Amino acid sequence: MNYWLMKSEPDSFSIDALAAAPGRTTGWDGVRNFQARNFLRDGMQQGDLAFFYHSSCAVPGIAGIVKVVRTGYPDPTAFDAAHHHYDADSDSSNPRWYMVDVKLVKKLKRIITLDELRSHASGKLKNMILLKRGNRLSITPVTKTEWDFIASLE
DNA sequence: GCCAACGTTGGC
DNA sequence: GCCAACGTTGGC
């Protein structure tokens, strides 16, 4: 059982969009970064939990909790020339990009903001990848200690 | 293998 | 819209 943080821009896909999706489940497609791809393909296990993080928006922060309900499989949007996330270097016989399916566990009662997380950056969240300078990774592992602490903030 | 150029991320 | 930080590409 592992813990993760997954970023999404709410203008493209928000926690409310997930709540409204069929089965409250979505395919986490479109990741085009090798390190994040490796987490999707090799790291995530059935039943893992992840924070759903809103990025590039007015109030960046953690908006909810999701669960991995399908482990890594090839991202078909990479094969579709008409798709925004098309990648000519990926093909179905040798896929480059992977995705998982996640299901909403719960929407938090409030956003746990980036500011609030930062206020613990010299304490409990000292090693949190999200808070490291210049971090841009859209999928990052979270330790159990970090997870439990953040969950207790709600 | 180096590194400059470029595109992207994401907070502000 | 700005810009710092970063990942990727491609020339050499």
Side-chain angles (χ1 to χ4, degrees), chain A residues 14-34:
Chain A
S14 67
I15 192 85
D16 290 328
L18 178 57
R24 311 216 301 171
T25 298
T26 192
W28 204 269
D29 62 14
V31 171
R32 296 293 179 266
N33 168 282
F34 289 104

Side-chain angles (χ1 to χ4, degrees), chain A residues 19 36 59 63-64 70 73 80 96 100 117 126 132 143 150:
Chain A
V59 186
R70 182 178 174 190
Y73 62 100
D80 178 358
R96 172 183 277 203
V100 299
L117 295 171
K126 186 170 47 178
K132 302 224 184 224
T143 67
I150 293 167

Side-chain angles (χ1 to χ4, degrees), chain A residues 5-18 28 51-64 107 111-114 130:
Chain A
L5 181 142
M6 304 171 81
K7 293 182 188 173
S8 181
E9 299 186 19
D11 287 348
S12 334
F13 193 78
S14 67
I15 192 85
D16 290 328
L18 178 57
W28 204 269
F51 289 127
F52 188 114
Y53 179 90
H54 280 173
S55 67
S56 291
C57 56
V59 186
I62 294 169
K107 177 181 171 179
I111 303 270
I112 298 176
T113 65
L114 179 59
L130 177 75

Side-chain angles (χ1 to χ4, degrees), chain A residues 15-88:
Chain A
I15 192 85
D16 290 328
L18 178 57
R24 311 216 301 171
T25 298
T26 192
W28 204 269
D29 62 14
V31 171
R32 296 293 179 266
N33 168 282
F34 289 104
Q35 209 177 342
R37 185 281 310 271
N38 293 345
F39 289 137
L40 290 171
R41 187 187 60 186
D42 310 324
M44 287 191 178
Q45 296 169 359
Q46 189 85 22
D48 281 0
L49 294 175
F51 289 127
F52 188 114
Y53 179 90
H54 280 173
S55 67
S56 291
C57 56
V59 186
I62 294 169
I65 292 173
V66 298
K67 176 162 65 173
V68 176
V69 294
R70 182 178 174 190
T71 55
Y73 62 100
D75 179 349
T77 64
F79 308 142
D80 178 358
H83 198 282
H84 180 59
H85 293 301
Y86 175 64
D87 180 357

